[in-house]
Amino acid sequence: MDMMEKKERRRALLTKVIFIILLLVIWEITAKAHVFGKRSEIVFPTLESIWAAFIRNFTFGYAGTSLWIYILNSMGLLLEGLCIGVGLAFILSGLSMVSKTIDTIFNLCVSIFDLLPGVALLPVVIVIFGVKPGVIVFLVVHAVLWPMSRNVLDGFKAVPEIYLEAGRNLGMGSAQLLFGVYIPAATTYIVSGLKVGWARAWRGLISAEMIFGIASSPGIGLFINQMRTNMNNAEMYATLIVIIIIGLIVQYGILNPIENATVKKWGMTK
């Protein structure tokens, strides 16, 4: 079985590599063919131009500020918002398991706010709090809290009653049941919620930074907007690649190992 799994993983990796190479070849052919005439260099810069822009972003950046600074600012705000959002999701979901009243109200809030895009709240939040880094943190919390809570709640409610009865027979209180029964049994849902919450938070962060830039804490979204404004399209494409790379690092370097060390190791999923 292990040999079969290794072969399957190698085959999947090879398929992905071939697909990416094929996309790059198609892009380069389109760029060299000048399909869009004079606009081709803007719409489809060559891979060489994008690579050179990639290097410039990290060495010169914009107005002397390297892209590294923008990345660090964005990741700091994202991490703060993720921690707050995930923490609130666990606290409120845990309270929902203790109180029927809280459960009813919180489920209603999840149903309402999970459908409301964070960008739609942006004008209201700016009017109330002004333009400051905390606004982006708020939007990240909003992006994480509701899908994470939905998954955690679903996981808690899917816990077999026999597990809870066993915990109560052992003398577990509400807090002990939460950490000793609910959370371990709902790990599959929790990891899934982390994946969805991270994806929404990342998109929400970039969108918010593109709509309004914060001079005191410039982020990746602002950098993209600056490149667009100055018609530095190769630099803009290079920054999009950076965003994809960061997303892949988080997905395969953090979230997948967490999943492998928990739900897959425990046989809760394939």
Side-chain angles (χ1 to χ4, degrees), residues 25 36 38 40 43 50 71 80 108 131 134 144 150-151 156 169 175 186 197 234 236 242-243 261:
V25 169
F36 294 92
K38 295 180 179 180
S40 288
V43 179
I50 295 174
I71 292 174
E80 184 179 351
L108 176 62
V131 178
V144 174
R150 185 182 295 277
N151 277 63
F156 285 174
N169 290 336
M236 184 175 66
V242 171
I243 292 174

PDB file of all heavy atoms in Angstrom, residues 25 36 38 40 43 50 71 80 108 131 134 144 150-151 156 169 175 186 197 234 236 242-243 261:
ATOM      1  N   VAL A  25       4.710  27.598 -21.394  1.00  0.00           N
ATOM      2  CA  VAL A  25       5.016  27.562 -22.836  1.00  0.00           C
ATOM      3  C   VAL A  25       3.949  28.304 -23.625  1.00  0.00           C
ATOM      4  O   VAL A  25       4.263  29.096 -24.526  1.00  0.00           O
ATOM      5  CB  VAL A  25       5.137  26.097 -23.323  1.00  0.00           C
ATOM      6  CG1 VAL A  25       5.191  26.045 -24.847  1.00  0.00           C
ATOM      7  CG2 VAL A  25       6.366  25.440 -22.728  1.00  0.00           C
ATOM      8  N   PHE A  36      -2.101  40.586 -29.272  1.00  0.00           N
ATOM      9  CA  PHE A  36      -2.862  41.806 -29.018  1.00  0.00           C
ATOM     10  C   PHE A  36      -2.202  43.046 -29.629  1.00  0.00           C
ATOM     11  O   PHE A  36      -2.488  44.171 -29.228  1.00  0.00           O
ATOM     12  CB  PHE A  36      -3.029  42.016 -27.507  1.00  0.00           C
ATOM     13  CG  PHE A  36      -3.875  40.970 -26.844  1.00  0.00           C
ATOM     14  CD1 PHE A  36      -3.295  39.839 -26.287  1.00  0.00           C
ATOM     15  CD2 PHE A  36      -5.256  41.093 -26.817  1.00  0.00           C
ATOM     16  CE1 PHE A  36      -4.063  38.863 -25.682  1.00  0.00           C
ATOM     17  CE2 PHE A  36      -6.031  40.119 -26.207  1.00  0.00           C
ATOM     18  CZ  PHE A  36      -5.437  39.003 -25.646  1.00  0.00           C
ATOM     19  N   LYS A  38       0.035  46.072 -30.343  1.00  0.00           N
ATOM     20  CA  LYS A  38       0.872  46.952 -29.521  1.00  0.00           C
ATOM     21  C   LYS A  38       0.624  46.744 -28.027  1.00  0.00           C
ATOM     22  O   LYS A  38       1.481  47.066 -27.205  1.00  0.00           O
ATOM     23  CB  LYS A  38       0.607  48.414 -29.881  1.00  0.00           C
ATOM     24  CG  LYS A  38       1.026  48.777 -31.299  1.00  0.00           C
ATOM     25  CD  LYS A  38       0.742  50.254 -31.586  1.00  0.00           C
ATOM     26  CE  LYS A  38       1.179  50.619 -32.992  1.00  0.00           C
ATOM     27  NZ  LYS A  38       0.905  52.059 -33.304  1.00  0.00           N
ATOM     28  N   SER A  40       0.288  43.885 -26.620  1.00  0.00           N
ATOM     29  CA  SER A  40       0.759  42.569 -26.202  1.00  0.00           C
ATOM     30  C   SER A  40       1.801  42.646 -25.091  1.00  0.00           C
ATOM     31  O   SER A  40       1.800  41.832 -24.162  1.00  0.00           O
ATOM     32  CB  SER A  40       1.341  41.809 -27.398  1.00  0.00           C
ATOM     33  OG  SER A  40       0.308  41.405 -28.272  1.00  0.00           O
ATOM     34  N   VAL A  43      -0.282  43.315 -21.933  1.00  0.00           N
ATOM     35  CA  VAL A  43      -1.180  42.231 -21.536  1.00  0.00           C
ATOM     36  C   VAL A  43      -0.408  40.933 -21.274  1.00  0.00           C
ATOM     37  O   VAL A  43      -0.660  40.237 -20.291  1.00  0.00           O
ATOM     38  CB  VAL A  43      -2.254  42.001 -22.620  1.00  0.00           C
ATOM     39  CG1 VAL A  43      -3.178  40.855 -22.217  1.00  0.00           C
ATOM     40  CG2 VAL A  43      -3.054  43.274 -22.852  1.00  0.00           C
ATOM     41  N   ILE A  50       8.950  39.176 -16.825  1.00  0.00           N
ATOM     42  CA  ILE A  50       8.328  38.938 -15.530  1.00  0.00           C
ATOM     43  C   ILE A  50       9.377  38.516 -14.497  1.00  0.00           C
ATOM     44  O   ILE A  50       9.337  38.964 -13.346  1.00  0.00           O
ATOM     45  CB  ILE A  50       7.222  37.866 -15.651  1.00  0.00           C
ATOM     46  CG1 ILE A  50       6.074  38.384 -16.534  1.00  0.00           C
ATOM     47  CG2 ILE A  50       6.683  37.482 -14.276  1.00  0.00           C
ATOM     48  CD1 ILE A  50       5.002  37.362 -16.823  1.00  0.00           C
ATOM     49  N   ILE A  71       5.245  42.465   2.138  1.00  0.00           N
ATOM     50  CA  ILE A  71       4.858  41.106   2.516  1.00  0.00           C
ATOM     51  C   ILE A  71       4.786  40.961   4.033  1.00  0.00           C
ATOM     52  O   ILE A  71       3.821  40.408   4.580  1.00  0.00           O
ATOM     53  CB  ILE A  71       5.851  40.083   1.928  1.00  0.00           C
ATOM     54  CG1 ILE A  71       5.732  40.048   0.401  1.00  0.00           C
ATOM     55  CG2 ILE A  71       5.596  38.685   2.504  1.00  0.00           C
ATOM     56  CD1 ILE A  71       6.775  39.176  -0.269  1.00  0.00           C
ATOM     57  N   GLU A  80      -2.505  38.254  12.814  1.00  0.00           N
ATOM     58  CA  GLU A  80      -3.284  38.809  13.923  1.00  0.00           C
ATOM     59  C   GLU A  80      -4.774  38.525  13.748  1.00  0.00           C
ATOM     60  O   GLU A  80      -5.453  38.078  14.685  1.00  0.00           O
ATOM     61  CB  GLU A  80      -3.043  40.316  14.018  1.00  0.00           C
ATOM     62  CG  GLU A  80      -3.727  40.978  15.199  1.00  0.00           C
ATOM     63  CD  GLU A  80      -3.453  42.475  15.289  1.00  0.00           C
ATOM     64  OE1 GLU A  80      -2.586  42.973  14.526  1.00  0.00           O
ATOM     65  OE2 GLU A  80      -4.102  43.151  16.118  1.00  0.00           O
ATOM     66  N   LEU A 108     -27.734  31.991  13.954  1.00  0.00           N
ATOM     67  CA  LEU A 108     -28.347  33.044  13.145  1.00  0.00           C
ATOM     68  C   LEU A 108     -27.275  34.014  12.639  1.00  0.00           C
ATOM     69  O   LEU A 108     -27.278  34.393  11.459  1.00  0.00           O
ATOM     70  CB  LEU A 108     -29.398  33.802  13.960  1.00  0.00           C
ATOM     71  CG  LEU A 108     -30.074  35.000  13.268  1.00  0.00           C
ATOM     72  CD1 LEU A 108     -30.839  34.528  12.037  1.00  0.00           C
ATOM     73  CD2 LEU A 108     -31.006  35.720  14.238  1.00  0.00           C
ATOM     74  N   VAL A 131      -9.264  55.118   8.415  1.00  0.00           N
ATOM     75  CA  VAL A 131      -8.316  54.307   7.652  1.00  0.00           C
ATOM     76  C   VAL A 131      -7.121  53.990   8.539  1.00  0.00           C
ATOM     77  O   VAL A 131      -6.276  54.843   8.801  1.00  0.00           O
ATOM     78  CB  VAL A 131      -7.853  55.046   6.375  1.00  0.00           C
ATOM     79  CG1 VAL A 131      -6.839  54.211   5.617  1.00  0.00           C
ATOM     80  CG2 VAL A 131      -9.047  55.362   5.489  1.00  0.00           C
ATOM     81  N   GLY A 134      -6.033  48.464  11.759  1.00  0.00           N
ATOM     82  CA  GLY A 134      -7.046  47.690  12.469  1.00  0.00           C
ATOM     83  C   GLY A 134      -8.244  47.352  11.608  1.00  0.00           C
ATOM     84  O   GLY A 134      -8.928  46.352  11.852  1.00  0.00           O
ATOM     85  N   VAL A 144     -12.602  35.034   8.509  1.00  0.00           N
ATOM     86  CA  VAL A 144     -12.265  33.751   9.136  1.00  0.00           C
ATOM     87  C   VAL A 144     -13.365  33.249  10.057  1.00  0.00           C
ATOM     88  O   VAL A 144     -13.712  32.059  10.051  1.00  0.00           O
ATOM     89  CB  VAL A 144     -10.957  33.885   9.956  1.00  0.00           C
ATOM     90  CG1 VAL A 144     -10.672  32.604  10.724  1.00  0.00           C
ATOM     91  CG2 VAL A 144      -9.797  34.226   9.053  1.00  0.00           C
ATOM     92  N   ARG A 150     -18.878  27.867  11.319  1.00  0.00           N
ATOM     93  CA  ARG A 150     -19.818  26.930  10.703  1.00  0.00           C
ATOM     94  C   ARG A 150     -19.249  25.508  10.717  1.00  0.00           C
ATOM     95  O   ARG A 150     -19.951  24.543  11.056  1.00  0.00           O
ATOM     96  CB  ARG A 150     -20.112  27.366   9.257  1.00  0.00           C
ATOM     97  CG  ARG A 150     -21.186  26.524   8.567  1.00  0.00           C
ATOM     98  CD  ARG A 150     -21.388  26.979   7.138  1.00  0.00           C
ATOM     99  NE  ARG A 150     -21.927  28.329   7.071  1.00  0.00           N
ATOM    100  CZ  ARG A 150     -23.214  28.631   7.186  1.00  0.00           C
ATOM    101  NH1 ARG A 150     -24.095  27.661   7.411  1.00  0.00           N
ATOM    102  NH2 ARG A 150     -23.624  29.884   7.092  1.00  0.00           N
ATOM    103  N   ASN A 151     -17.973  25.380  10.374  1.00  0.00           N
ATOM    104  CA  ASN A 151     -17.356  24.060  10.365  1.00  0.00           C
ATOM    105  C   ASN A 151     -17.217  23.484  11.774  1.00  0.00           C
ATOM    106  O   ASN A 151     -17.459  22.295  12.000  1.00  0.00           O
ATOM    107  CB  ASN A 151     -15.972  24.131   9.699  1.00  0.00           C
ATOM    108  CG  ASN A 151     -16.047  24.065   8.191  1.00  0.00           C
ATOM    109  OD1 ASN A 151     -16.620  24.945   7.558  1.00  0.00           O
ATOM    110  ND2 ASN A 151     -15.484  23.046   7.599  1.00  0.00           N
ATOM    111  N   PHE A 156     -18.925  19.771  16.009  1.00  0.00           N
ATOM    112  CA  PHE A 156     -19.387  19.515  17.371  1.00  0.00           C
ATOM    113  C   PHE A 156     -20.711  18.757  17.369  1.00  0.00           C
ATOM    114  O   PHE A 156     -20.918  17.840  18.171  1.00  0.00           O
ATOM    115  CB  PHE A 156     -19.554  20.829  18.124  1.00  0.00           C
ATOM    116  CG  PHE A 156     -18.241  21.457  18.556  1.00  0.00           C
ATOM    117  CD1 PHE A 156     -18.218  22.723  19.149  1.00  0.00           C
ATOM    118  CD2 PHE A 156     -17.042  20.797  18.368  1.00  0.00           C
ATOM    119  CE1 PHE A 156     -17.015  23.293  19.537  1.00  0.00           C
ATOM    120  CE2 PHE A 156     -15.836  21.365  18.763  1.00  0.00           C
ATOM    121  CZ  PHE A 156     -15.827  22.619  19.351  1.00  0.00           C
ATOM    122  N   ASN A 169     -19.883  10.129  32.130  1.00  0.00           N
ATOM    123  CA  ASN A 169     -19.738   9.037  33.101  1.00  0.00           C
ATOM    124  C   ASN A 169     -18.381   9.073  33.792  1.00  0.00           C
ATOM    125  O   ASN A 169     -18.234   8.578  34.919  1.00  0.00           O
ATOM    126  CB  ASN A 169     -19.934   7.687  32.411  1.00  0.00           C
ATOM    127  CG  ASN A 169     -21.376   7.454  31.997  1.00  0.00           C
ATOM    128  OD1 ASN A 169     -22.302   8.045  32.573  1.00  0.00           O
ATOM    129  ND2 ASN A 169     -21.582   6.615  30.992  1.00  0.00           N
ATOM    130  N   ALA A 175     -16.200  22.208  30.272  1.00  0.00           N
ATOM    131  CA  ALA A 175     -14.904  22.556  29.680  1.00  0.00           C
ATOM    132  C   ALA A 175     -14.118  21.302  29.308  1.00  0.00           C
ATOM    133  O   ALA A 175     -13.481  21.235  28.249  1.00  0.00           O
ATOM    134  CB  ALA A 175     -14.093  23.417  30.647  1.00  0.00           C
ATOM    135  N   ALA A 186     -14.056  16.377  16.441  1.00  0.00           N
ATOM    136  CA  ALA A 186     -14.433  17.256  15.330  1.00  0.00           C
ATOM    137  C   ALA A 186     -13.222  17.760  14.555  1.00  0.00           C
ATOM    138  O   ALA A 186     -13.327  18.726  13.803  1.00  0.00           O
ATOM    139  CB  ALA A 186     -15.226  18.453  15.868  1.00  0.00           C
ATOM    140  N   GLY A 197     -11.166  29.149   6.033  1.00  0.00           N
ATOM    141  CA  GLY A 197     -10.938  30.438   6.681  1.00  0.00           C
ATOM    142  C   GLY A 197      -9.674  31.111   6.190  1.00  0.00           C
ATOM    143  O   GLY A 197      -9.661  32.317   5.936  1.00  0.00           O
ATOM    144  N   ALA A 234       4.635  44.033 -15.810  1.00  0.00           N
ATOM    145  CA  ALA A 234       5.481  42.873 -15.527  1.00  0.00           C
ATOM    146  C   ALA A 234       5.660  42.713 -14.013  1.00  0.00           C
ATOM    147  O   ALA A 234       5.593  41.606 -13.478  1.00  0.00           O
ATOM    148  CB  ALA A 234       6.835  43.026 -16.214  1.00  0.00           C
ATOM    149  N   MET A 236       3.568  43.772 -11.827  1.00  0.00           N
ATOM    150  CA  MET A 236       2.257  43.384 -11.301  1.00  0.00           C
ATOM    151  C   MET A 236       2.062  41.868 -11.402  1.00  0.00           C
ATOM    152  O   MET A 236       1.635  41.212 -10.449  1.00  0.00           O
ATOM    153  CB  MET A 236       1.154  44.106 -12.065  1.00  0.00           C
ATOM    154  CG  MET A 236      -0.252  43.862 -11.537  1.00  0.00           C
ATOM    155  SD  MET A 236      -1.477  44.860 -12.418  1.00  0.00           S
ATOM    156  CE  MET A 236      -1.372  44.138 -14.070  1.00  0.00           C
ATOM    157  N   VAL A 242       4.010  35.977  -6.513  1.00  0.00           N
ATOM    158  CA  VAL A 242       4.400  35.958  -5.099  1.00  0.00           C
ATOM    159  C   VAL A 242       3.205  35.569  -4.228  1.00  0.00           C
ATOM    160  O   VAL A 242       3.329  34.770  -3.288  1.00  0.00           O
ATOM    161  CB  VAL A 242       4.951  37.329  -4.662  1.00  0.00           C
ATOM    162  CG1 VAL A 242       5.157  37.381  -3.149  1.00  0.00           C
ATOM    163  CG2 VAL A 242       6.268  37.630  -5.373  1.00  0.00           C
ATOM    164  N   ILE A 243       2.037  36.123  -4.539  1.00  0.00           N
ATOM    165  CA  ILE A 243       0.820  35.803  -3.783  1.00  0.00           C
ATOM    166  C   ILE A 243       0.502  34.317  -3.885  1.00  0.00           C
ATOM    167  O   ILE A 243       0.160  33.658  -2.890  1.00  0.00           O
ATOM    168  CB  ILE A 243      -0.367  36.649  -4.297  1.00  0.00           C
ATOM    169  CG1 ILE A 243      -0.151  38.122  -3.944  1.00  0.00           C
ATOM    170  CG2 ILE A 243      -1.689  36.151  -3.713  1.00  0.00           C
ATOM    171  CD1 ILE A 243      -1.187  39.050  -4.538  1.00  0.00           C
ATOM    172  N   ALA A 261      -0.916  15.105  10.278  1.00  0.00           N
ATOM    173  CA  ALA A 261      -0.553  14.745  11.656  1.00  0.00           C
ATOM    174  C   ALA A 261      -1.764  14.509  12.539  1.00  0.00           C
ATOM    175  O   ALA A 261      -1.621  14.009  13.662  1.00  0.00           O
ATOM    176  CB  ALA A 261       0.315  15.848  12.268  1.00  0.00           C
TER     177      ALA A 261
END
